[in-house]
Amino acid sequence: MKTFYLTTPIYYVNDKPHIGHAYTTILADVLARFHRNKGDDVFFLTGLDEHGQKVQQAAENRGVQPKEHCDEMAPRFLELWDKLHIQNDDFIRTTEKRHLKVVQNILQQVYDNGDIYEDEYEGLYSVSEERFITEKEATSAEFQDIKKLKEKNYFFKMSKYQQALIDYINENPNFIQPENRKNEVLGFLKKPLSDLCISRPKSRLSWGIELPFDSNYVTYVWFDALINYITAPGYNSEKANFNKYWPANYHLIGKDILITHSIYWPTMLMSAGLPLPSGIFAHGWWLSGESKMSKSVGNVVDPLGLIEEYGVDPVRYYLMREMVLGQDASFTMESFVKRYNSDLANDFGNLLSRITNLLKKFFDSKIPIVEDDSTEGKVVKESGKKIIEEVWKQVESLKVNEALENILQYIRTVNKYMETMAPWKLAKSNPESAGKVLFTAAEALRVSSILLEPVMPNRTQTILKTLGAEGSSLDWGGLIGGKDLIQHDILFPRIDVNKSDKENLPKQKIIESENIISFSDFQNIKLKTAKIVKAEKVDGADKLLKLQIEVGNEKLQIISGIAQHYSTEELIGRMIIVVANLKPVTIFGIKSEGMLLAAKKGKNLTLLTIDSEKVASGMKIY
Ligand code: MSP
């Protein structure tokens, strides 16, 4: 049995999953399902990247331990994969013990090979990218939070493997795909390759995997993350399983992480004496309209909103159909609705309802028994046989969008065949011929549904169930005549929009828009209970009061504009709610270290207070 091992990148645990993440994972799922249907032994891996500066920082901002932060964030991905009906075989988190062991083992091997050396390095360091950058890079907007650093660190001799990597890429034309990405990597390799700094001193970053040969350092997050691809199949723990699946057939990635996957990773594997993956495939970006999806712009499309509104299958179909191999694609509600209505409602769904309506009307809801051997019928049959091989070839070369177009073209041909043969007329003059036409059309629909099953696993099942053909094979001739039709709902109800009126288009759900903050943003605001212990007027400011508050063990001073609503006496002892992590400011020359919460109606202001019998000060508000 052939094995097929494919991976998605492991996603940053901090991020809220969006359409871009969903795309790679669905693509992997679709390929995995095609290969499983073909009888291959598939191992499909996805997971989360949980170490590094950004995770440590996000956890600090939320006032929790990094591991706790990861545990709280991870379910967002798991829930989405569940909703998208992703059937992955393993889910790896880089904080797992099995991974730590493998990373340390590889580091030790590379070290023992003499491929890691210690050096003092002075340069520009980008906190946002978590690496040293060049002077030129420092001038681009991509890198933020840049500081000059002089540090002793460990370096991996990547340069040693430069020629070997160039040779490997040239000898294995499918190693990096598509072609333009391969050329990009070869272009990069024309310049001398520098060595890779693979350590971070614990004094600066402690959230990572410790170097086995120096406990003062953790390893660079990419050195750790890439190794997940060998941890999961069982490197150094389940030898047989590892040898069965490794090297991976495909690492599916986005174009932004091409260099790490095509240069860092292969040279790391060379140093560790392991075979390189057979293929690295870098897809393009999903844009939001014309621009790159970005959290700061607030145009990141939320896949959950789409699934809720239109169901999971249309979302999977749209993403797979709309992105052309290797190019960027633009997500708009307009193109979503257009694609849905034309391909799914008009072509695919319509073929099913035409066939079932006619069978109900003229054949007592029974599937006829004999196929159509007219010239037209034979064309449908022959194309139906041919398309199976074509689709498989397209899928094997990752051209899923072309495979889908091919299947839809075939469905359109079958719809035309129905129009030409007009079984609704034939049913009155020649019922036997009408039955044959409907049988052939239903068989074509069955084959199309099985071909589309990896992309739309649910609704294709409904069709197969309707035709009593669940579990039937892809080969032409699988439909069994004489069975009763099973009732079904309309498969793809049309989305009704007035074509000329863009205003009427359903609005896409955006993850972070200007007025909406993410849960993690909310978590960054520390709301706490606080007891007012002292209140005084501020000289010269008749609206302000100076409050001394107790937030647990902490004592803070707040300047608040409530003097016209509360007397100093009535405030003492009250349990209020404050934003406890606000940057201190100076108001009227006095330091203010927080903000209290109050509600205003007209001119009246009321403090938010809480029963001091029930809560102590310093408690977190959720
Ligand atoms: N953690 C690293 C990967 C380590 S793999 C050993 C990482 N994570 S990520 O969450 O930032 O990105 C994961 C994947 O999502 C990348 O392949 C990236 O290209 C992809 N995408 C993120 N935004 C995207 C779009 N807008 N469109 C398509 N894919 C995009 O990088």
Side-chain angles (χ1 to χ4, degrees), residues 324-337:
V324 178
L325 193 77
Q327 292 178 17
D328 288 347
S330 163
F331 183 97
T332 63
M333 270 323 280
E334 200 180 359
S335 67
F336 179 84
V337 170

Side-chain angles (χ1 to χ4, degrees), residues 398-529:
L398 306 194
K399 294 177 180 156
V400 175
N401 66 311
E402 287 180 22
L404 288 179
E405 183 47 24
N406 201 357
I407 303 167
L408 260 291
Q409 273 302 349
Y410 179 60
I411 290 171
R412 284 177 206 121
T413 319
V414 183
N415 271 323
K416 278 210 191 92
Y417 162 72
M418 289 279 280
E419 273 149 37
T420 312
M421 305 308 276
W424 47 93
K425 283 191 199 151
L426 271 183
K428 291 167 198 153
S429 57
N430 186 349
E432 198 190 332
S433 296
K436 287 180 179 178
V437 169
L438 288 174
F439 181 90
T440 294
E443 172 62 358
L445 178 64
R446 184 193 70 86
V447 168
S448 309
S449 302
I450 297 183
L451 283 173
L452 287 170
E453 186 270 339
V455 178
M456 295 188 283
N458 297 312
R459 304 210 192 173
T460 49
Q461 274 310 312
T462 307
I463 300 185
L464 294 173
K465 208 168 151 195
T466 302
L467 300 174
E470 299 135 289
S472 54
S473 96
L474 192 51
D475 298 336
W476 185 270
L479 186 67
I480 299 172
K483 284 194 181 175
D484 284 328
L485 277 185
I486 308 289
Q487 284 291 342
H488 68 92
D489 292 331
I490 295 183
L491 211 54
F492 299 102
R494 268 188 77 82
I495 303 173
D496 250 331
V497 275
N498 181 347
K499 264 195 207 149
S500 59
D501 183 3
K502 276 196 184 172
E503 289 296 294
N504 278 342
L505 278 173
K507 295 273 177 288
Q508 68 195 42
K509 299 263 181 0
I510 297 293
I511 288 187
E512 345 257 317
S513 77
E514 275 171 337
N515 299 319
I516 296 171
I517 59 164
S518 67
F519 181 64
S520 62
D521 284 345
F522 169 69
Q523 292 274 45
N524 289 339
I525 304 170
K526 274 196 203 154
L527 292 178
K528 291 200 168 170
T529 54

Side-chain angles (χ1 to χ4, degrees), residues 283-296:
H283 61 73
W285 283 99
W286 273 96
L287 309 176
S288 196
E290 302 283 295
S291 44
K292 186 175 156 189
M293 280 189 200
S294 126
K295 264 203 281 187
S296 50

Side-chain angles (χ1 to χ4, degrees), residues 8-12 15 18-21 23-24 49 77 222 225-229 252-257 261 283-287 292-293 323:
T8 72
I10 46 171
Y11 303 102
Y12 281 126
D15 289 346
H18 61 66
I19 284 287
H21 304 124
Y23 171 77
T24 326
D49 192 353
F77 282 89
W222 271 102
L226 287 159
I227 289 175
N228 92 86
Y229 300 136
L252 302 177
I253 57 167
K255 63 182 180 181
D256 54 320
I257 53 175
H261 280 78
H283 61 73
W285 283 99
W286 273 96
L287 309 176
K292 186 175 156 189
M293 280 189 200
M323 184 171 261

Side-chain angles (χ1 to χ4, degrees), residues 66 125 187 235 264 267 274 277 283 317 331 358 369 382 436 448 488 548 564 600 607 611:
Y125 185 83
Y235 175 77
Y264 296 8
T267 52
L274 287 166
H283 61 73
Y317 178 81
F331 183 97
L358 291 171
I369 295 180
E382 288 316 310
K436 287 180 179 178
S448 309
H488 68 92
Q548 307 299 333
Q564 289 171 336
K600 213 168 179 186
L607 276 183
D611 191 341

